[in-house]
Amino acid sequence: MIDGKTLGLAIESSCDETSVALSLNGREVLANIISSQIAIHTQFGGVVPEIASRHHLQNINTVTDQCFAEAADRAGRKITMDDVDFIAVTYGPGLVGALLIGVATAKAYALAAGKPLVGVNHMQGHICANFIEHPELEPPFMSLVVSGGHTNIVQVDKYNHCISLGGTRDDAAGEAFDKVARVLGLGYPGGPKIDKTAKEGNPEAVAFKRVFLEDGSMDFSFSGIKTGVLNYVNGEKQKGHEISVPDVAASFQQAVLDVIVAKAVDAARRPKKLAVAGGVASNSRLREMLTRECADCGIELYFPSPVYCTDNAAMIGCAGYYKYLEGGIDDLTLDAIPGLPMEA
Ligand code: KG4
Ligand code: ZN
């Protein structure tokens, strides 16, 4: 406790960022250290799971020390493990070896310091990222979760309860961005590169198919558009035509976002509140389109800042806080669950 507020220590290591955060009452972040491995994995064109685990192991204690030091600066007083009320950790979904480093570290701290352990669902963490900068935001609301592994429309009923109304049947949005970026020779991670390149292109240059699936369905499918881009690029090459990378990037991005925005806005008509989450929530065109559409439909729109869209421990601390308040304490048998469902 600090000044009567609950202090949470949170750990995130589900993919390629090692992150540790300290926050008060879930929403007031004292420190949120993110050690990214992007530079390491870029040379392989994607995340190599074994390398990610090894770097989490090498970094986690240093990142934790850095987090306590930065939080002390911010709070203007020394902060130690004695002040911590609970320890939250991502236990899924994610890469099993990467998750295990965070889970084992959190268990070791919890056991050594005698603190309650709270296992957090990474996807629920992404949604909770919205609470950090929007003190007025409270459930119920609709959430659009768009990341490297997920594209879901989620009904958030209570702080600890959500229902997924639809998800992708094949590739996730971020995965499609990453794969198309590779086809266009833009490199890894593809999402930010497509976002930037598309700004110089014409979104109407190439008419890629928008896949809406059955009437009223909140599911998504992005594998077709990925193949569509590949066929277009190869077809033009065979004809000896030069392609405009910015035009293809802009047209692909627009086709994906037309579907995502239409479905998210449709789903948010009833609660009239939409909170966007996940790595792809950083996309500037998505932000632009949703801002316009939601204003037209009278829907309140929430986005985390880019630092809270990417994988980070502060969002895990926030989700962990609400679970802790409801007595959702785990014991030391807590294990990593790589395929943990959105609602678990
Ligand atoms: O949420 P996140 O950091 O990790 C997962 O939990 O998956 O999301 C990573 C994904 C990657 O596919 C990355 O390319 C994508 O988010 N991404 C973006 C942007 N920034 C990150 N996609 C589109 N536009 C962006 N600006
Ligand atoms: Zn994530």
Side-chain angles (χ1 to χ4, degrees):
M1 282 271 185
I2 290 187
D3 299 335
K5 293 178 183 168
T6 301
L7 179 67
L9 172 69
I11 299 176
E12 156 63 38
S13 70
S14 64
C15 192
D16 59 345
E17 338 273 351
T18 317
S19 182
V20 179
L22 279 162
S23 42
L24 294 172
N25 287 354
R27 297 165 97 127
E28 192 185 324
V29 178
L30 292 178
N32 179 40
I33 311 293
I34 304 171
S35 166
S36 173
Q37 303 176 10
I38 284 182
I40 296 157
H41 298 285
T42 296
Q43 54 190 309
F44 303 104
V47 177
V48 183
E50 288 77 6
I51 296 179
S53 313
R54 204 177 316 141
H55 279 88
H56 285 310
L57 187 58
Q58 276 169 3
N59 293 340
I60 195 126
N61 288 323
T62 320
V63 173
T64 307
D65 290 346
Q66 225 179 312
C67 181
F68 274 95
E70 199 176 297
D73 276 354
R74 173 89 198 274
R77 53 158 280 182
K78 192 166 190 271
I79 296 176
T80 69
M81 198 61 97
D82 284 346
D83 300 310
V84 169
D85 294 289
F86 68 91
I87 300 174
V89 64
T90 303
Y91 73 106
L95 303 169
V96 67
L99 288 165
L100 279 170
I101 306 299
V103 169
T105 305
K107 284 201 238 179
Y109 287 150
L111 179 66
K115 302 290 176 181
L117 178 71
V118 180
V120 172
N121 183 318
H122 179 81
M123 302 319 295
Q124 292 180 15
H126 270 302
I127 296 172
C128 289
N130 282 284
F131 296 133
I132 296 171
E133 295 160 298
H134 304 293
E136 73 285 13
L137 178 62
E138 279 176 21
F141 57 84
M142 203 56 80
S143 185
L144 166 67
V145 184
V146 270
S147 74
H150 289 78
T151 308
N152 288 71
I153 290 178
V154 182
Q155 186 179 309
V156 181
D157 302 317
K158 293 190 240 158
Y159 279 111
N160 286 310
H161 189 260
C162 66
I163 302 166
S164 176
L165 303 180
T168 183
R169 294 184 185 172
D170 38 59
D171 290 354
E175 192 179 354
F177 271 82
D178 293 338
K179 287 179 177 168
V180 165
R182 199 172 308 156
V183 169
L184 297 178
L186 293 172
Y188 172 86
K193 302 242 160 98
I194 296 230
D195 190 351
K196 190 159 172 251
T197 309
K199 287 188 202 299
E200 282 128 47
N202 172 7
E204 286 165 16
V206 191
F208 293 120
K209 199 165 169 230
R210 276 83 170 142
V211 178
F212 284 93
L213 302 168
E214 311 81 49
D215 249 11
S217 169
M218 292 200 209
D219 281 351
F220 298 90
S221 169
F222 297 116
S223 64
I225 186 158
K226 179 191 68 191
T227 313
V229 174
L230 194 63
N231 289 344
Y232 172 80
V233 170
N234 289 339
E236 291 302 290
K237 261 193 209 150
Q238 268 166 15
K239 288 184 222 151
H241 296 168
E242 193 131 322
I243 63 153
S244 156
V245 171
D247 279 355
V248 179
S251 302
F252 155 77
Q253 176 176 266
Q254 191 61 42
V256 168
L257 298 184
D258 277 347
V259 178
I260 291 178
V261 169
K263 293 200 182 214
V265 169
D266 212 33
R269 275 180 212 283
R270 218 162 7 103
K272 291 231 171 277
K273 261 197 239 182
L274 177 66
V276 192
V280 185
S282 285
N283 184 274
S284 54
R285 182 87 178 144
L286 173 66
R287 288 176 177 248
E288 238 172 68
M289 289 168 69
L290 278 176
T291 302
R292 199 178 45 232
E293 291 292 322
C294 287
D296 286 353
C297 301
I299 296 168
E300 280 173 40
L301 176 65
Y302 298 88
F303 275 113
S305 300
V307 68
Y308 294 123
C309 288
T310 194
D311 290 346
N312 69 90
M315 69 186 196
I316 302 304
C318 187
Y321 170 72
Y322 290 106
K323 202 171 162 191
Y324 170 73
L325 282 188
E326 284 194 359
I329 310 295
D330 289 286
D331 62 25
L332 295 177
T333 61
L334 179 73
D335 205 358
I337 306 184
L340 188 68
M342 174 78 69
E343 299 154 4

